[in-house]
Every structure is written in C-alpha cells, then in structure tokens.
Amino acid sequence: MAEERNNKLLESPLYTFVAKGWVKWSQKIVSLQAGEEDFLLYLVWALDTIKEQDVGINAGLRDRVYTGLRDHFISQHFASNKPDLDYLTNLVCAAALACFGLTLTDSQENQKIYSELVSGFGEHWKDIKDLKSSADMDSSAPELKEWAVAYMASDHFSTYNDVIDWNNDDMAEVLIHRASSFDKVDLYRVIMALYEIGAFESVEGKLTKTKVFKAFGDMLGDDFSDFQNNLSAGSTHKNDIDIFKRLEEGLEQFETKKDKKLERQGKQKRR
C-alpha cells in the first residue's frame, strides 16, 4: 500500500486528523464505498483550491467539491443517493474550513479568504458549520496547526500521486482525458520533443518511442499507436506548428498568476 512508499502526506498530521474523524464520519454514509484515503484526497484538493485564490474561486468551493466528487469519483464506481453526496461534500468543505481556520492568526489575507468561503457556502453554510463545530471534527492538535500554516503558505500543491498508490491495481484509474479541443498531433509533438531531449528514462529494458507513447496513451486511456503516421502527416505543414509558442505563453500565464498571488499577500514577487 501507499504507506510502503514513504508517502509524506499519509504520514502528516492531516492524515491523522482524517483517520481519527473517519471512524465516526463514515458511519453516517450509507451508499458510498469511500475510505479515509479517498477523503484525504478530496480534502487536500479542497485545500489546494483555496490556495489558488483565483478570482471567484473561493465563493464557488462547495459547488466545485460537489461536482468533483460526483464526476471524478462516485459516478465512475458507485451508485449513491443525493443525501450521502451532500453530506460528503459538506464534510469535505467543513474539514477544509477547520484546517484553513488554523492559519488565520495574524493573517488579514487568510481572514478575508475565510470570509469569502463562508459567504460562498450560502444555504449550505449551516450544515457545514454544524459539521465543522461538532465533536467529531477535532482539529485541536498543535502539530496539525503547524502543518496547515506551513502548507497553506507554501507554493506546493499535492497531486493524486501524493495520496494514491498507483501500484495498487484497484486505484489505477484514468483521471484525465485529452480535451477534444486540443489537437492530438500537438500532444504527440510535445511528447516527441521531450523524448528527444532525454526527459524520460526506462524503468526496464531499452527505452523506445513506442514504449513512451504507449505509456502516455495508457495514462490518458487512449490509443497512441498512430503517433508515427500523425507526426509524419503533421510535418508537411510545419508553418502551422505553434504548440511550443502556446506552451511558452501558458507557462507565462502560470508565472503571472503566482506573482499576483504573492503581491496580494504582500510578499516579494519571484521575478
């Protein structure tokens, strides 16, 4: 399991907080076969969403959690009733609010974000508040506060790989697909460029283009066996290849958002 991989998140005070609460929280769920690591996954995702601090993102956190749970977890594996989905959604929001609340000391920016979150919960705020204030949600451990303050102040964002053991066949699900609006040949060009600059190393045996493209295809739940033909056909229109310029622009957008976040927090920009 994931513990054998020295998983830092599963060794953190956040996991201890979740594992302790899940003993009681899970008793109120009837139709969802969710576990404590599943809940940890969505709690971290909610905290990461709060950290992004994009315009309007905090006001819609509850809806984003609901949609995420429904689309990326429950509908793929389980049949669930709406009360259970609502409960689990509110529980994720309540736990995220409890952890984020530990970071409010001497931080006007965090207090503002906290207020935005509460306002954004709307009609669900009472249920979320009741869950957050219940005896079942104990966020009083000093080490949890220390962890939350450090995590929310950092630029680190946890990923599914921080939570799930991908070597466990039961958890090796496809989480993302290539957007239909993104040209498949452009993705092939990016993968090929990375291959040519030596971005990948073989785990076993000789690394070939075919193996690399198969690995990406498996990850995205797609068939990439046609990559050679697509790349050959695409090479006849070299003037249309703008993917690398768009990637540069995308990275610039990412860096600009980060600098704006630091500026809002009164911190020095990175560039």
Side-chain angles (χ1 to χ4, degrees):
M1 284 300 293
E3 290 88 347
E4 297 174 0
R5 301 173 64 206
N6 194 25
N7 189 308
K8 292 182 179 179
L9 196 54
L10 290 176
E11 296 173 355
S12 72
L14 186 69
Y15 179 68
T16 303
F17 164 68
V18 168
K20 183 179 179 181
W22 193 251
V23 175
K24 295 183 178 180
W25 303 337
S26 59
Q27 294 176 5
K28 300 176 183 179
I29 299 175
V30 178
S31 62
L32 304 181
Q33 301 177 46
E36 60 191 36
E37 289 187 20
D38 299 311
F39 186 84
L40 177 68
L41 172 70
Y42 277 91
L43 174 55
V44 173
W45 177 82
L47 291 173
D48 284 350
T49 302
I50 295 171
K51 284 175 68 173
E52 288 177 358
Q53 298 182 41
D54 289 343
V55 177
I57 200 169
N58 293 326
L61 178 66
R62 201 269 176 188
D63 291 339
R64 292 195 68 190
V65 173
Y66 185 98
T67 302
L69 284 166
R70 183 192 64 201
D71 294 346
H72 300 301
F73 175 55
I74 293 166
S75 64
Q76 292 186 16
H77 302 287
F78 313 115
S80 65
N81 58 46
K82 190 175 185 300
D84 275 348
L85 181 53
D86 279 328
Y87 169 75
L88 193 57
T89 299
N90 290 340
L91 187 61
V92 171
C93 292
L97 208 61
C99 293
F100 185 55
L102 299 174
T103 73
L104 300 183
T105 307
D106 299 327
S107 174
Q108 293 184 347
E109 177 66 19
N110 283 356
Q111 291 172 11
K112 177 184 175 183
I113 295 169
Y114 189 95
S115 178
E116 291 174 358
L117 285 166
V118 171
S119 299
F121 290 142
E123 62 182 300
H124 304 286
W125 168 235
K126 181 182 181 302
D127 293 332
I128 293 172
K129 181 182 179 182
D130 288 346
L131 286 168
K132 173 182 170 294
S133 304
S134 71
D136 295 345
M137 191 166 291
D138 182 9
S139 58
S140 62
E143 58 270 21
L144 178 60
K145 179 176 181 177
E146 183 179 352
W147 181 92
V149 169
Y151 184 77
M152 298 304 288
S154 75
D155 286 331
H156 174 71
F157 287 78
S158 289
T159 68
Y160 285 91
N161 286 332
D162 291 315
V163 185
I164 292 178
D165 178 7
W166 290 104
N167 292 323
N168 181 349
D169 291 339
D170 293 335
M171 303 300 274
E173 58 183 288
V174 174
L175 295 172
I176 58 173
H177 292 285
R178 176 182 58 86
S180 58
S181 59
F182 189 81
D183 239 343
K184 198 172 186 179
V185 70
D186 278 338
L187 181 56
Y188 288 168
R189 286 164 174 156
V190 173
I191 296 172
M192 184 60 77
L194 289 170
Y195 174 84
E196 291 294 341
I197 65 173
F200 312 114
E201 292 182 352
S202 177
V203 175
E204 183 178 345
K206 181 181 178 181
L207 186 65
T208 64
K209 298 184 182 84
T210 300
K211 287 182 179 180
V212 169
F213 276 87
K214 184 180 185 307
F216 273 93
D218 290 345
M219 178 179 68
L220 295 172
D222 204 344
D223 180 10
F224 281 11
S225 61
D226 60 349
F227 75 94
Q228 293 281 23
N229 292 335
N230 273 259
L231 285 170
S232 295
S235 296
T236 61
H237 305 286
K238 290 185 179 180
N239 293 333
D240 296 334
I241 301 176
D242 66 345
I243 179 58
F244 298 101
K245 179 181 178 181
R246 287 157 54 202
L247 285 172
E248 185 177 7
E249 292 170 350
L251 181 60
E252 178 60 28
Q253 290 176 11
F254 167 77
E255 295 289 353
T256 299
K257 287 180 181 178
K258 283 292 185 182
D259 281 339
K260 286 182 178 178
K261 174 185 172 183
L262 292 172
E263 193 172 24
R264 287 198 299 270
Q265 294 176 335
K267 299 177 182 178
Q268 184 176 358
K269 295 192 291 188
R270 298 185 300 177
R271 297 181 297 169

